[in-house]
Amino acid sequence: MRMLEEFFPEFTQKLDEIDKLYEEKRKIDEKTYQFICFALSIKGRSKPCVLKHFKGALEAGATVEELSYIFALTMREAAGADDCWTHDVLGDWQDIIAGNIDCSCSK
């Protein structure tokens, strides 16, 4: 965001406005909000956001044990989704081996 803050500050200001709107309209408690953001940050592989929401969850009353559960749940759900998606993609593996499916990729 540093580059955007420098070269497109109007965009980052709008993101700040969205954050304020989310906070004003939030229908869930702070701890639940932090759990969701923590999980999304893990999946999004954003180190600053993982740290921010880990700390935010603790400040909202979460325990490290609860955060460990959210961490494990995020990893498990991601693994399940990756497993299902990959099986769908490779469902015709015999046709791939036989050369009957074009991957449309450069060689």
Side-chain angles (χ1 to χ4, degrees):
M1 293 286 276
R2 290 174 288 192
M3 188 169 79
L4 289 176
E5 288 170 347
E6 182 176 346
F7 295 106
F8 197 180
E10 302 86 357
F11 180 78
T12 57
Q13 289 167 1
K14 292 295 181 190
L15 289 177
D16 289 342
E17 290 174 25
I18 291 170
D19 288 344
K20 287 177 186 162
L21 180 63
Y22 281 138
E23 190 173 341
E24 291 170 11
K25 301 290 184 177
R26 189 178 303 154
K27 306 291 183 208
I28 56 177
D29 64 89
E30 181 67 19
K31 188 166 108 173
T32 302
Y33 170 78
Q34 292 296 334
F35 282 163
I36 293 168
C37 291
F38 179 61
L40 290 169
S41 299
I42 292 168
K43 190 64 181 141
R45 299 178 58 99
S46 173
K47 180 180 179 179
C49 291
V50 167
L51 297 173
K52 173 184 175 182
H53 295 295
F54 182 89
K55 186 173 186 280
L58 292 173
E59 290 171 354
T63 65
V64 174
E65 184 178 20
E66 289 174 314
L67 283 160
S68 295
Y69 174 82
I70 298 297
F71 180 19
L73 177 62
T74 303
M75 290 180 61
R76 174 61 190 105
E77 287 302 310
D82 291 345
D83 178 59
C84 291
W85 181 84
T86 304
H87 276 93
D88 286 345
V89 170
L90 296 176
D92 297 325
W93 64 271
Q94 292 156 328
D95 285 332
I96 297 168
I97 292 171
N100 298 330
I101 294 180
D102 179 17
C103 71
S104 301
C105 51
S106 301
K107 294 181 181 183

